[in-house]
Amino acid sequence: MNVRARPVDLTAPTANAADADFAGVQAQDLVGSPYWSADLGPILPSERRWGMWDIAVLWVSMSACITTYMLASSMISEGANWWQAVLIVFLANVIVLIPMAMNAHAGTKYGIPFPVYCRASFGILGANVPAVMRALVACGWFGIQSWIGGDAIYIVLSIYFPTLEELPRAMGINIAQFLCFLAFWGVNVAVVWNGIESIRLLLLIKAPLLIALGLVLLAWAAYTVGGFGPMLSKPSEFRIGGLKEGKFWAFFFPALTANIGYWATLSLNIPDFSRYARKQSDQVIGQIIGLPSTMALYAFIGIAVTSATASMPIVIAKYGKEQWDPIKLLPIFESPLVQLGALFAIVFSTLATNIAANAVGPANDFAHLAPKYISFRIGGLITALIAVAIMPWKLCSDPSGYIYVWLVGYSSLLGAIGGILIADYFVIRKTRLDLPGLYRQHGPYWYTGGFNLLAMIALVVGIAPCVPGFVQTIWSIGKQGVVKDFWMQLYDYAWFVSFAISALLYVGLMLAQGRQPKDEATAASR
């Protein structure tokens, strides 16, 4: 995987015929434009180096992580059996592949990052709205991943220094936990400050490392409980006579939505990566190979190990039930070598995933707010600071909050954005964009003062039906007897609801106003 391709100034002359054709117009008025910067400029075809296997490795590296394990294993804690949970994970990732590949198309065709892609539909200034919304979600994930790495450090330290657990507490954690979190967070910030090229080596090493760790953990669990039979024997609580009899579909759809929401962030800002791909088949096939299979494999590992812990007396004695967080299994091992080896693998792999999935996108998004003043580095620093303020340890504290508040909640925001982007790019513009116009004030994407008000209306209307369910979910977590009304039913399908409403409304409004991509009729197309 080569990430050395560099954004290029459309106004600069080029000796490469393909690049000249790609650039289309040598627009001298772009010089000094406040909406242009080296970080946001397009990658020319001659600078692309990523092939099909590079894209596949990217997804293997990002999917094989602790949060994937936790997402799948949390469904066991919510009452699913192993095959129900694996099926939900696989189905969700097949579904999310569709908008993923569609949004990636613009990145590969035009070499543009996600916030610039948003300009065609939301307007050059209006693009800041979806960019910041997506960036704030990424800040949450940056914090979650930083918390996971820091928590792993704290748990291993507390094995040898048990008095750490007696330190004063505030906001749900003690001082030592917060310091471990800050230490790992600081390593993430340092890597981001060194630039995007630092992710290449991290991802190449990380992919096999965490998969190997997962398989070792799976083998240990199978050996401890006497084979795969006991590991996978935990029955579904939705079965006849089960504790949640007749409630499977009430669980299935929110769980499916949550799993779609898991990669809803990357399904939007995938142009940040696909812009490095040599051709469309590379990004499409690479994603098909890398995403669903890796997610299903690591989901199975998380599910099997979580199910096995329900039969382990040492786990039940320590935690009172099965353990869905793999980091909390570290104290179970008595060998310091095993503990330190597992700690290194978790910390290193979490670092790699965090940088690739949760730093590149929001760094570009924040840079888009003021391209002349906010660089990729500064955007990454803003991401990291917001990640601390979100208090990610609260999001990871229980599976219900992780699934129903965090994943389902933000899926309504990102579903609406995705619906508008795909409707605009494929239905309204037929994949034709005026590339220089994406950086030009008062050009074809300036709309009204830099904002496409029709896109803003579609965005708000698409999100609105999910808001009541989100509010009720926040208040009802941990309580019994909450009756799901019409709004809660909509919330269960949050991503689907907001995606469909925003896409259909946007197309209707644009066609009703007679917005036609006249300025794009002669735009470069391949």
Side-chain angles (χ1 to χ4, degrees), residues 465-502:
C466 303
V467 173
F470 175 70
V471 173
Q472 183 173 334
T473 299
I474 293 176
W475 285 105
S476 64
I477 283 293
K479 299 179 181 179
Q480 300 297 322
V482 178
V483 178
K484 286 191 174 183
D485 57 12
F486 172 74
W487 300 109
M488 286 303 297
Q489 295 292 338
L490 284 183
Y491 183 67
D492 288 346
Y493 303 86
W495 184 86
F496 298 96
V497 169
S498 64
F499 184 99
I501 292 176
S502 293

Side-chain angles (χ1 to χ4, degrees), residues 124-301:
I124 289 182
L125 296 180
N128 287 316
V129 174
V132 170
M133 289 171 65
R134 185 263 176 264
L136 291 176
V137 173
C139 290
W141 275 116
F142 189 97
I144 288 174
Q145 294 281 8
S146 296
W147 169 252
I148 288 171
D151 196 35
I153 296 171
Y154 170 77
I155 287 176
V156 171
L157 286 176
S158 64
I159 296 173
Y160 301 98
F161 305 98
T163 55
L164 291 178
E165 298 181 3
E166 301 172 5
L167 292 173
R169 302 178 67 86
M171 299 179 295
I173 58 175
N174 66 38
I175 295 175
Q177 285 177 297
F178 186 68
L179 291 177
C180 289
F181 164 65
L182 283 184
F184 185 69
W185 173 89
V187 173
N188 282 265
V189 172
V191 174
V192 171
W193 196 258
N194 284 330
I196 190 173
E197 294 189 21
S198 61
I199 73 170
R200 179 174 179 262
L201 184 59
L202 285 174
L203 291 177
L204 289 175
I205 297 175
K206 178 257 179 174
L209 182 64
L210 199 62
I211 289 178
L213 175 65
L215 293 175
V216 169
L217 188 59
L218 181 65
W220 165 79
Y223 174 79
T224 302
V225 301
F228 283 93
M231 293 173 66
L232 306 178
S233 62
K234 183 180 185 293
S236 169
E237 293 181 10
F238 305 109
R239 72 190 190 284
I240 297 176
L243 295 176
K244 299 182 179 180
E245 178 182 350
K247 298 181 179 179
F248 174 73
W249 295 112
F251 161 80
F252 174 82
F253 288 108
L256 181 69
T257 303
N259 276 270
I260 291 173
Y262 184 76
W263 285 125
T265 51
L266 266 294
S267 73
L268 294 184
N269 80 289
I270 188 64
D272 290 331
F273 297 98
S274 66
R275 65 198 294 226
Y276 297 102
R278 289 190 291 261
K279 54 184 184 293
Q280 295 293 348
S281 60
D282 288 335
Q283 65 93 356
V284 173
I285 298 175
Q287 293 193 85
I288 291 174
I289 293 173
L291 180 57
S293 57
T294 307
M295 287 294 292
L297 170 63
Y298 225 74
F300 175 77
I301 292 173

